[in-house]
Amino acid sequence: MEVLDPVFLSRLQFAFVVSFHAIFPAFTIGLAAYIAFLEAKWYRNDDPIYRQLSEFWTRIFAVVFGMGVVSGIVMSFQFGTNWSEFSFAAANFIGPIISYEVLTAFFMEAVFLGVLLFGRDRVPRGTHLFAACMVAIGTFISSFWILSANSWMHTPAGFELRDGIFYVTSWIEAIFNPSLWYRFAHVAVASLLTGAFVVAGVSAYYLLRKREEEANRRALSMALWMILFTAPAQAFVGDLHGLNTFEQQPIKVAAMEGNWETREGAPFYLFAWPDSEAEENRFSVGIPNAASFILTHDWHGEVPGLKEVSADERPPVGVVFWSFRVMLAIGVIMIAIAVWSLWLRIRGRLFVSRGLQRVLQWMIPAPFIAVLAGWFVTETGRYPWLVYQHMTLAEGVTPSLTGGMVLATLIGYVAVYAIIFSAGIYYLSRIVVKGPESVDKYASTEVAPSRPMSLVNIPFEENEQR
């Protein structure tokens, strides 16, 4: 492979932008649902602690949502600059789907986000709750359309290919393609888990420092209930998604399992070093027959191997293999924490266990790592296809593109995103350091919004020493 291969660099550039962007929607979807729940509790119980928590987490939501929008806009430009052949060929489907996302979700989020951010004490409490619910629903609708387009690229349906152009013959089959619901459920539950672990970790951080204990105990309790139900649910959904992938994209699953030969009674490798040149695994440690049982529900079921296709039709096995295990390991740790928290709750020690609180602090990055690992499995496992079994990456790239052009823009993206990410993390850390006590849960807001970030009401730089 050439160092300045435009296909490789375009894929690397898109992967960088998507990876940077993906962590923000994963967080905001879960956090929007949490804020809507807090607003419902505030509306029903008139308890000021729920208002305090809602307002505090809405500040964080505002910053993260803004970073997600900014980081996601450039992806649409990349379709035109780097992937023009794909954009032209698939425009009959991708174009309307992106338009539906903008019309049904982004507009909804934009309209009601203003009410959520600036409407407190300026609109009736029920209207504010309604706005919070609409923002939460809008995030799920947005992810539905994006995942419909992405799923179609993995399991294309409802079209016919004429002269290299995809023409939609059935919108129902195309939108609700064979992997959509599995992918949507997997991402939705992952988003709820991400939001719950961040809330739990930040609440644990405050409890360890004995700050706003009543409010943060409630936040921690709610987050751990969410983790208790969603962590095992994610294992179940992930298994269904894996079975669907095994049916639709067996070579991707072969790469996930590090399985080179088609065989019955295939083991599940806990550890291995896949060697693509030798077409075998080195230093492997596996559980006999486990992969066959997981994928076929039969200890002696047949599992296709990577050698079923030629070497140039296989994904990079090492990346897919290890990304899958990183995601899997984090999922197991999440379930263990859910069980641990339940045991402590039953014993009445949930809020005094400093060990659990420290672990929850350390777990804050874990769901983001799991989301990225899962994304690498899905997208790298599709290689070399852009539209599975119909268009390769090489066929979809812009013909006039050179490696130098892509490398230059990639460096530009890395530099700009590094600034955005650093500024965003710095500002978020300031909001977290201020904590829920910075919210007056009894007084009406005196903020007169004049710009989107004025809700947060925390200067970017401040001389105050805490």
Side-chain angles (χ1 to χ4, degrees):
M1 182 179 64
E2 299 176 16
V3 176
L4 293 180
D5 178 7
V7 177
F8 170 74
L9 289 173
S10 292
R11 188 158 172 76
L12 182 63
Q13 185 183 104
F14 198 77
F16 170 75
V17 174
V18 170
S19 299
F20 186 88
H21 170 72
I23 60 176
F24 299 115
F27 182 32
T28 53
I29 292 171
L31 190 55
Y34 177 59
I35 291 170
F37 179 74
L38 290 172
E39 285 294 322
K41 295 284 285 185
W42 158 238
Y43 179 81
R44 181 175 181 179
N45 300 335
D46 201 27
D47 188 333
I49 286 182
Y50 292 116
R51 168 183 169 142
Q52 181 188 28
L53 288 172
S54 176
E55 193 164 336
F56 169 69
W57 284 103
T58 300
R59 293 177 175 182
I60 293 178
F61 177 83
V63 177
V64 177
F65 186 86
M67 293 174 69
V69 171
V70 170
S71 61
I73 288 175
V74 296
M75 287 191 296
S76 58
F77 293 113
Q78 285 184 305
F79 280 118
T81 56
N82 294 35
W83 304 102
S84 61
E85 289 293 310
F86 165 73
S87 299
F88 182 73
N92 290 325
F93 177 70
I94 299 295
I97 291 297
I98 299 300
S99 300
Y100 300 156
E101 192 266 339
V102 172
L103 289 172
T104 62
F106 193 74
F107 281 0
M108 178 191 292
E109 292 176 79
V111 170
F112 288 103
L113 183 64
V115 179
L116 175 65
L117 298 185
F118 309 121
R120 189 177 298 281
D121 298 328
R122 292 180 172 84
V123 298
R125 197 184 294 182
T127 303
H128 199 254
L129 168 62
F130 181 73
C133 293
M134 289 299 101
V135 170
I137 293 171
T139 59
F140 281 103
I141 295 176
S142 178
S143 64
F144 169 84
W145 289 117
I146 297 300
L147 288 171
S148 175
N150 180 260
S151 296
W152 182 84
M153 294 166 68
H154 286 269
T155 54
F159 73 95
E160 62 180 23
L161 192 59
R162 300 198 303 267
D163 301 324
I165 306 295
F166 294 92
Y167 292 93
V168 178
T169 56
S170 169
W171 282 100
I172 297 296
E173 291 181 15
I175 292 171
F176 300 99
N177 57 78
S179 65
L180 169 65
W181 290 119
Y182 301 98
R183 208 176 301 276
F184 177 74
H186 201 42
V187 170
V189 177
S191 300
L192 294 175
L193 266 174
T194 302
F197 266 99
V198 173
V199 171
V202 173
S203 301
Y205 164 84
Y206 293 131
L207 287 175
L208 283 168
R209 289 155 183 79
K210 301 187 182 303
R211 292 173 54 183
E212 289 290 310
E213 290 190 79
E214 178 57 30
N216 287 304
R217 283 185 175 191
R218 291 193 198 182
L220 179 66
S221 178
M222 287 186 282
L224 289 175
W225 276 121
M226 176 62 78
I227 292 169
L228 181 63
F229 287 106
T230 51
Q234 185 67 313
F236 176 71
V237 172
D239 180 58
L240 293 178
H241 187 24
L243 294 176
N244 176 262
T245 306
F246 180 62
E247 179 184 350
Q248 302 291 335
Q249 297 174 295
I251 298 303
K252 180 194 290 187
V253 174
M256 292 161 63
E257 302 294 343
N259 188 39
W260 295 92
E261 305 284 350
T262 298
R263 56 179 162 174
E264 298 176 352
F268 178 79
Y269 293 110
L270 299 172
F271 175 87
W273 191 260
D275 186 335
S276 295
E277 291 190 5
E279 298 184 332
E280 63 180 18
N281 295 328
R282 301 185 185 279
F283 317 113
S284 61
V285 177
I287 303 173
N289 299 73
S292 285
F293 182 74
I294 293 170
L295 294 169
T296 66
H297 294 177
D298 180 350
W299 290 105
H300 301 285
E302 184 176 280
V303 177
L306 287 157
K307 292 183 180 178
E308 286 288 319
V309 297
S310 60
D312 61 353
E313 293 185 21
R314 298 172 195 163
V317 182
V319 175
V320 179
F321 181 87
W322 280 109
S323 296
F324 178 61
R325 271 144 191 80
V326 168
M327 179 183 66
L328 205 60
I330 292 175
V332 171
I333 294 171
M334 288 177 171
I335 293 174
I337 289 175
V339 174
W340 183 17
S341 68
L342 178 63
W343 182 71
L344 289 172
R345 192 188 295 270
I346 292 172
R347 291 172 57 87
R349 297 181 51 80
L350 183 63
F351 304 118
V352 296
S353 172
R354 298 180 72 80
L356 176 66
Q357 292 169 9
R358 290 194 182 95
V359 169
L360 288 172
Q361 276 192 132
W362 300 333
M363 282 293 291
I364 290 176
F368 298 104
I369 297 172
V371 166
L372 292 178
W375 191 260
F376 291 156
V377 172
T378 299
E379 299 306 312
T380 307
R382 188 181 53 192
Y383 186 88
W385 301 105
L386 191 49
V387 180
Y388 191 63
Q389 293 188 330
H390 291 283
M391 173 179 274
T392 65
L393 289 157
E395 292 170 338
V397 77
T398 301
S400 60
L401 205 62
T402 66
M405 294 177 186
V406 189
L407 182 62
T409 51
L410 174 60
I411 293 171
Y413 281 129
V414 171
V416 172
Y417 276 40
I419 295 171
I420 294 174
F421 191 75
S422 300
I425 293 299
Y426 171 76
Y427 201 53
L428 283 172
S429 66
R430 291 192 58 78
I431 297 174
V432 171
V433 168
K434 290 279 187 181
E437 55 265 53
S438 63
V439 177
D440 186 345
K441 54 181 176 285
Y442 297 107
S444 298
T445 177
E446 296 178 355
V447 175
S450 56
R451 53 186 171 79
M453 299 304 293
S454 62
L455 166 89
V456 179
N457 199 27
I458 293 178
F460 196 82
E461 293 183 353
E462 191 173 75
N463 295 324
E464 177 186 355
Q465 298 295 320
R466 290 186 61 83

